Amino acid sequence: FVEKTEVEFYPMTEPEIRAYVATGDCMDKAGAYGIQTQFSVYVKQIKGDYNNVVGLPIAKLYHELLQNL
């Protein structure tokens, strides 16, 4: 199965981008941002499952597993 989540951001200035990169927070993230960290102030909206953005769409996984037992 596939779970899709769209994340829209507010525009960032060059100094804001540089400041965020300087924190190092983006270095260990697949999308180069941590929605659950200080970067959350730039998240305008989410369409889909928040848990999918953080790492694992646990509710979707649970229900998919139930269907395949």
Side-chain angles (χ1 to χ4, degrees):
F1 70 92
V2 174
E3 184 70 15
K4 178 181 175 182
T5 304
E6 296 178 11
V7 182
E8 182 180 354
F9 306 108
Y10 287 103
M12 295 176 73
T13 65
E14 184 75 23
E16 288 172 323
I17 294 168
R18 289 184 185 282
Y20 179 65
V21 170
T23 69
D25 185 57
C26 59
M27 301 305 180
D28 64 347
K29 312 286 188 291
Y33 70 95
I35 198 167
Q36 72 279 21
T37 67
Q38 68 268 22
F39 188 81
S40 63
V41 299
Y42 299 106
V43 176
K44 186 172 185 177
Q45 77 176 359
I46 301 169
K47 293 180 183 175
D49 187 347
Y50 171 83
N51 290 310
N52 194 39
V53 179
V54 176
L56 184 67
I58 194 70
K60 177 72 171 176
L61 176 61
Y62 173 78
H63 290 280
E64 287 290 327
L65 291 172
L66 282 179
Q67 290 180 10
N68 294 302
L69 288 179

